[in-house]
Amino acid sequence: MMTQKATYEQLEQQVEDLTRQVAALEQNEVSLKESAKRYRTLLDFAPYPVATFTLKGGISYLNPSFTKVFGWTLEDIKEGRARFVPPELGPETSEKLKELFEQRTLTRYVTRRMTKDGRLLDVIARGAVFSESEMGVPGELVIFRDITREKRIARNNEALLRISTALPEYPDLEELLDYITSEIKRLLSTQGALVILLDEERKEFFFPGVADDDKATKKRVKEIRLPVDSLASAEVVKTGKPLIVNDAYKDSARYVERDHEFGYSFDNYVLVPIQSHDRIIGVLAAFNKSQGLFEDSDMELLGMIAGTVGLSIENARFSDELKQSHKELQSLDRAKTKAINHLSHELRTPVSVFSGTLQILEKKLQTLPDDSWKRSMDRAQRNVERIKDLQEKVRDIILGEESETRQRLSFLVDECADLLEDIIETQTGRTELLDKVRTRIRDMFETKNAEPREIFLDEFIRHGLEKMGPEFAHRNLQIEQFLETPPPVMIPAEPLEKVFSGLIKNAVENTPDQGKIQVTVFNREPGPGFSVRDYGVGILGDDQARIFKGFFTTQGTAAYSSKKPFDFNAGGRGADLLRMKIFSEKYHFSIHASSKRCGFIPGRDDICPGNIDDCSFCREKSDCYQSGGSVFTVEFQLKR
């Protein structure tokens, strides 16, 4: 009986021990899961690509940064679609994984990996073996860092330095160009490279610089001369813009003579212009890349080399002062021509529109009901408003300009007013309408006395934005306000209102929909002020020096005359900023501007689509915000 009892107690103890062991194992499993979850969360937020491998070499995890850099997802790996490791690096990679498993760590491994879209990236890999207690299952963790850009920049800098240093060693132009094309061929890993120069008199291209492994081909190519239209280089010379063609199959029908003369086909190529001073003298070309396709980085390197080539080809050199003076003279001449054209257009076009509208009105009033001619009357009124707006700006400018300019502008406005009166009287015979027009014009010319008063900028600008808001309510823009409360300034309200409203209008018309504008009131030495910043298209560098000069616009007349105020790219007549500058001198405040042209539309003929969602370069709004914009700042100096 005692023996049975002892046996029963032993069994009971064993069951209790097993229960505790099971509980401990369950607790350990929970701890492992929690630990693995913490590590997984950490890896998910890591800024560098991270991959984990099983002890058998399979990939078990890819973090979001890995997918962002390389494009591959874990699903791609599982379905066997991934080609992350280039085939030629397969054996080497296997050895490195084996080394990692044996030594537990891999400190620095410089290699290359392939993206989902077929690009090869230079990377640095670091790895470590982790235990089951850390990640739930044992395995290997590898962190990658993309150094493609770093290596490209270093390689480009090295190449440019080497080419620049070698220039004095090649006094003969042909030898120099052969050296440069051989460097391009080596740097871009291509079948060949060319320097294509333009014979402007004969309208032909010739090839004094050739890189090709076959010497006979080099000699033959140097003897080729082809009509300009027989090469894609003609487009580069004409536009001044580089060109990448990665599928040249379509060219075979267009450029038959080219392929016949060269003796081989061009599967892909990159072309950049060679510029000397203010003209393009040729093209630098690389063709048939050994691996992959041509990218923007290839075009960038070729463009930098082309600048060096252009300097070497040009025989005549001008001093920096002479070149700058010549450029300024051309700019001033363009500004003068545009000023005359714009002023002439703005004082003539509204009169013509008004005349045509009155003729329609005269015919329709006799037979048609009001709703049939009301639209015509509205159109006439709208154009009268344009005349009024221009006259107001001209009046303000005249008050601050020298007498000769005043007389010219006043004469033009007087002529415009007389013409209006004559048209109304002779074509309509309506004296009451004539009296209204005379009163309107008299109001335009009336000079108001502007008495300075105490103005708090934050309240003034807050009220101004509320007042102007409905005028651009049709635009999808974000207006951010950062309004401090500085000491008041003494200035007449009317000119300050014109300055602020003009800057807001300028910002709205230069900012695409979905964009934003920031209005700031600040208080700093030597006094308070405000700024209007737009994240829009920006102003070209050449134009920035002339924006306060008067009647200088960055767009053609048709661009703004066909649009309504506050529309994107509606533009202006160039009078607003001149008037602001005159106000600043008269009322003793400063106004200045800084601007950065949008990098996606760097040229004068490049056009912004007017909505961030429609821009092919911007994936999100921040891309547009960072690409360009302008800041106009008004500062007052308080009297001590």
Side-chain angles (χ1 to χ4, degrees):
M1 188 69 179
M2 292 295 295
T3 303
Q4 291 179 348
K5 183 178 181 180
T7 302
Y8 178 78
E9 289 177 349
Q10 289 175 354
L11 289 173
E12 191 176 54
Q13 182 63 43
Q14 289 176 359
V15 169
E16 185 177 344
D17 291 341
L18 286 173
T19 301
R20 283 197 298 268
Q21 291 176 13
V22 169
L25 287 173
E26 289 177 347
Q27 182 63 37
N28 186 46
E29 183 180 358
V30 171
S31 299
L32 285 174
K33 288 182 179 180
E34 291 179 350
S35 176
K37 184 178 180 181
R38 287 194 297 269
Y39 279 108
R40 179 65 60 89
T41 301
L42 177 63
L43 295 180
D44 283 344
F45 285 95
Y48 294 118
V50 177
T52 62
F53 298 81
T54 65
L55 295 181
K56 294 183 179 181
I59 296 178
S60 58
Y61 167 78
L62 301 175
N63 74 338
S65 293
F66 188 100
T67 301
K68 182 178 180 181
V69 172
F70 296 106
W72 301 111
T73 64
L74 192 59
E75 195 67 27
D76 295 325
I77 303 294
K78 290 179 179 178
E79 294 180 3
R81 296 196 302 265
R83 297 292 184 269
F84 175 55
V85 179
E88 65 274 15
L89 295 177
E92 177 186 300
T93 301
S94 299
E95 287 297 319
K96 286 296 179 180
L97 286 174
K98 182 179 178 182
E99 177 185 329
L100 170 60
F101 179 73
E102 293 174 351
Q103 299 183 5
R104 314 296 291 178
T105 60
L106 183 65
T107 56
R108 180 184 173 89
Y109 171 38
V110 180
T111 183
R112 290 187 298 171
R113 290 295 180 262
M114 186 176 292
T115 66
K116 191 173 183 177
D117 58 5
R119 294 176 293 115
L120 285 176
L121 300 183
D122 295 299
V123 298
I124 293 178
R126 290 180 170 84
V129 175
F130 55 83
S131 65
E132 182 178 359
S133 63
E134 294 173 312
M135 297 292 287
V137 291
E140 300 165 338
L141 182 145
V142 181
I143 300 176
F144 299 91
R145 184 164 74 87
D146 181 8
I147 59 170
T148 306
R149 180 175 174 79
E150 296 175 22
K151 291 192 70 173
R152 183 173 70 244
I153 291 174
R155 181 189 63 192
N156 291 356
N157 290 340
E158 179 186 351
L160 289 175
L161 177 62
R162 186 169 58 251
I163 291 173
S164 299
T165 305
L167 291 180
E169 301 177 10
Y170 294 90
D172 180 75
L173 180 60
E174 185 175 339
E175 291 181 359
L176 171 65
L177 298 182
D178 280 348
Y179 164 73
I180 291 174
T181 52
S182 65
E183 283 291 299
I184 293 172
K185 181 178 181 295
R186 184 180 64 83
L187 288 169
L188 300 186
S189 299
T190 61
Q191 178 183 346
L194 300 168
V195 174
I196 307 171
L197 296 185
L198 174 65
D199 185 334
E200 297 183 26
E201 184 177 348
R202 298 173 60 178
K203 304 298 181 185
E204 291 179 337
F205 283 124
F206 60 102
F207 312 89
V210 181
D212 195 289
D213 293 335
D214 184 65
K215 293 183 178 180
T217 300
K218 285 181 60 174
K219 182 179 180 181
R220 178 173 54 79
V221 170
K222 289 185 178 184
E223 296 174 354
I224 295 174
R225 297 184 74 94
L226 292 172
V228 168
D229 294 338
S230 64
L231 294 180
S233 298
E235 180 181 346
V236 177
V237 171
K238 182 180 179 180
T239 64
K241 297 179 180 180
L243 177 67
I244 291 179
V245 176
N246 278 318
D247 182 9
Y249 176 76
K250 299 177 181 178
D251 287 354
S252 57
R254 183 177 179 184
Y255 302 118
V256 175
E257 184 176 359
R258 176 199 67 187
D259 294 349
H260 175 74
E261 289 288 342
F262 278 89
Y264 46 76
S265 62
F266 293 85
D267 300 325
N268 49 56
Y269 53 83
V270 55
L271 309 172
V272 299
I274 304 173
Q275 189 161 346
S276 177
H277 302 307
D278 59 350
R279 63 193 181 96
I280 296 173
I281 60 175
V283 173
L284 202 57
F287 58 91
N288 295 352
K289 198 168 186 179
S290 301
Q291 291 183 341
L293 302 174
F294 284 110
E295 301 175 357
D296 289 343
S297 58
D298 301 321
M299 185 170 65
E300 179 184 345
L301 173 59
L302 212 57
M304 290 188 289
I305 297 175
T308 305
V309 172
L311 292 175
S312 302
I313 295 174
E314 185 67 17
N315 295 321
R317 296 185 178 182
F318 299 95
S319 67
D320 291 339
E321 294 80 8
L322 182 58
K323 287 188 290 184
Q324 187 63 32
S325 297
H326 180 63
K327 185 178 180 181
E328 283 297 319
L329 285 174
Q330 287 182 320
S331 298
L332 290 173
D333 184 64
R334 288 197 301 267
K336 178 194 69 176
T337 302
K338 292 180 75 172
I340 295 173
N341 290 339
H342 277 279
L343 184 58
S344 174
H345 174 85
E346 283 304 317
L347 293 174
R348 182 177 65 247
T349 302
V351 178
S352 300
V353 175
F354 190 76
S355 175
T357 304
L358 288 180
Q359 291 177 13
I360 296 172
L361 177 62
E362 181 183 16
K363 294 177 180 179
K364 290 188 175 182
L365 278 177
Q366 299 175 6
T367 58
L368 300 177
D370 289 350
D371 58 359
S372 64
W373 55 265
K374 184 64 176 175
R375 183 176 297 177
S376 299
M377 177 60 77
D378 291 342
R379 184 164 61 252
Q381 185 64 34
R382 185 168 63 250
N383 281 278
V384 169
E385 288 298 324
R386 289 180 62 198
I387 298 176
K388 178 184 176 182
D389 180 62
L390 177 62
Q391 171 54 34
E392 185 180 12
K393 292 181 175 65
V394 171
R395 182 199 63 188
D396 289 334
I397 292 169
I398 289 174
L399 293 175
E401 289 289 303
E402 296 299 325
S403 59
E404 182 179 358
T405 304
R406 295 182 196 175
Q407 293 171 2
R408 290 180 181 176
L409 294 177
S410 295
F411 173 76
L412 288 172
V413 174
D414 289 339
E415 288 294 309
C416 178
D418 291 340
L419 180 58
L420 268 176
E421 292 187 359
D422 180 66
I423 291 174
I424 295 170
E425 188 169 16
T426 57
Q427 296 195 22
T428 70
R430 298 183 62 193
T431 57
E432 71 279 6
L433 184 59
L434 177 59
D435 291 337
K436 290 180 180 180
V437 172
R438 284 173 177 164
T439 302
R440 193 66 174 273
I441 294 175
R442 186 167 57 249
D443 291 340
M444 293 178 191
F445 279 93
E446 181 183 357
T447 302
K448 300 178 182 179
N449 294 323
E451 293 294 334
R453 66 180 180 89
E454 195 175 71
I455 293 178
F456 288 89
L457 291 177
D458 57 331
E459 296 178 1
F460 184 88
I461 285 177
R462 186 180 295 110
H463 176 72
L465 286 173
E466 291 175 356
K467 182 179 178 181
M468 294 185 66
E471 298 186 60
F472 55 90
H474 62 291
R475 298 293 311 284
N476 187 358
L477 298 174
Q478 178 184 354
I479 308 296
E480 298 180 346
Q481 301 181 44
F482 304 95
L483 309 181
E484 293 185 31
T485 305
V489 297
M490 293 297 295
I491 185 174
E494 183 182 358
L496 183 59
E497 182 179 351
K498 290 176 179 178
V499 170
F500 178 67
S501 61
L503 293 180
I504 291 295
K505 184 172 182 289
N506 177 76
V508 170
E509 291 177 348
N510 283 279
T511 303
D513 281 339
Q514 309 291 333
K516 68 177 179 179
I517 296 169
Q518 291 178 344
V519 182
T520 304
V521 173
F522 54 81
N523 184 29
R524 61 193 182 204
E525 291 295 333
F530 66 89
S531 65
V532 177
R533 176 174 185 175
D534 67 75
Y535 293 82
V537 297
I539 304 171
L540 292 171
D542 290 346
D543 294 342
Q544 292 184 33
R546 300 189 297 278
I547 57 177
F548 290 110
K549 300 297 184 182
F551 295 99
F552 178 83
T553 66
T554 57
Q555 305 166 48
T557 297
Y560 67 78
S561 62
S562 60
K563 296 186 178 182
K564 297 179 181 179
F566 294 99
D567 282 355
F568 175 72
N569 220 21
R573 305 162 184 84
D576 266 327
L577 293 174
L578 172 59
R579 180 172 66 172
M580 293 178 197
K581 193 67 176 177
I582 291 173
F583 281 156
S584 72
E585 296 170 356
K586 184 174 182 179
Y587 297 107
H588 310 293
F589 62 85
S590 65
I591 181 169
H592 52 87
S594 63
S595 185
K596 174 188 174 185
R597 178 70 170 184
C598 175
F600 302 133
I601 50 170
R604 187 175 297 276
D605 296 328
D606 296 326
I607 298 175
C608 172
N611 192 312
I612 297 178
D613 289 344
D614 297 333
C615 179
S616 59
F617 300 102
C618 296
R619 297 181 179 178
E620 50 190 25
K621 293 180 182 179
S622 59
D623 294 333
C624 180
Y625 298 162
Q626 297 170 12
S627 66
S630 303
V631 182
F632 286 84
T633 304
V634 175
E635 294 179 297
F636 299 87
Q637 185 170 357
L638 296 180
K639 295 182 179 179
R640 302 298 183 184

